[in-house]
């Protein structure tokens, strides 16, 4: 257990529905990342936050995706109008800047039918 | 160039033998190179990392080497055990105007008892 929690762990939804995932990081870690991982691939960077500020978004993050970290603590990732291609594992990680270690949560596995 | 190439994609070794996984990156500004182990149903977990100011780092049965001139780094696991079986990812930290981690495509290691 890394201390990073994600909910839900699994989500099955129908195409066109909206879904929201939550990440609760280690409280002292002010940098938070979201990644997407598909089968047989490494995690792909989606976006990251420094406290409540979203500093970068990947080109992978279409306008159907939005992430927030309102108080610089937990974060949410919302996907609107889901498509089958959105099926993947969504990972959250927080960063301890000293010594630069990322701590990953267990992920939320999304299946879009 | 932010990509990182990882080889091999699968690796089977006999228990007690050594395993070597190699990664090549293209971003000369990268200065931090972590390795992650991912077990089924879990997020990646950091197992060892190396910074650009050193060429080798060792932690018990695990070692990492870095050749900044050639832009490649390798993970070495000695005296492999069945519990080493997992998917291993290399990564590097891209610092070109941002602060994001780029992952390799993973190596599935199977240690045969």
């Amino acid at each position: 257990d890394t201390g990073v929690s994600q909910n839900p762990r699994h989500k099955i939804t129908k195409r066109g529905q909206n879904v929201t995932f939550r990440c609760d990081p280690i409280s002292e870690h002010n940098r938070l990342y979201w990644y997407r991982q598909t089968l047989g691939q490494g995690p792909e960077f989606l976006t990251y936050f420094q406290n409540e500020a979203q500093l970068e978004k990947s080109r992978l993050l279409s306008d159907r995706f939005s992430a927030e970290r309102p108080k610089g603590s937990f974060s949410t990732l919302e996907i609107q109008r889901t498509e089958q291609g959105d099926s993947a594992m969504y990972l959250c990680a927080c960063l301890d800047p000293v010594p630069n270690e990322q701590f990953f949560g267990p992920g939320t596995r999304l299946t879009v039918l | 160039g932010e990509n990182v190439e990882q080889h091999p994609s699968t690796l089977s070794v006999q228990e007690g033998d050594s395993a070597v996984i190699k990664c090549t990156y293209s971003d000369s500004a990268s200065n931090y190179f972590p390795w992650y182990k991912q077990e089924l149903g879990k997020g990646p977990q950091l197992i060892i990392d190396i910074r650009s100011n050193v060429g080798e780092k060792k932690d018990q049965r695990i070692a990492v080497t870095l050749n900044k001139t050639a832009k490649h780094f390798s993970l070495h696991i000695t005296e492999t055990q069945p519990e080493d079986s997992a998917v291993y990812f290399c990564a590097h930290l891209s610092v070109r105007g941002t602060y994001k981690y780029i992952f390799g495509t993973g190596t599935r290691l199977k240690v045969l008892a």
Side-chain angles (χ1 to χ4, degrees), chain A residues 31 33 37 42 56 99-100, chain B residues 32 36 38 51 89 98-99:
Chain A
R31 191 164 290 173
Y33 293 79
Q37 186 177 27
E56 183 169 348
N100 226 11
Chain B
Y32 176 66
Y36 294 85
Q38 187 173 27
R51 298 180 188 282
F89 293 98
T98 182
Y99 209 85

Side-chain angles (χ1 to χ4, degrees), chain B residues 3 26 33 36 39 44 57 64-65 68 70 88 102 108-109:
Chain B
N3 293 337
S26 54
F33 306 87
Y36 294 85
E39 297 175 317
K57 183 177 177 181
V64 57
T65 59
K68 279 217 75 177
Y88 292 82
I102 309 298
R108 181 172 297 279
L109 174 64

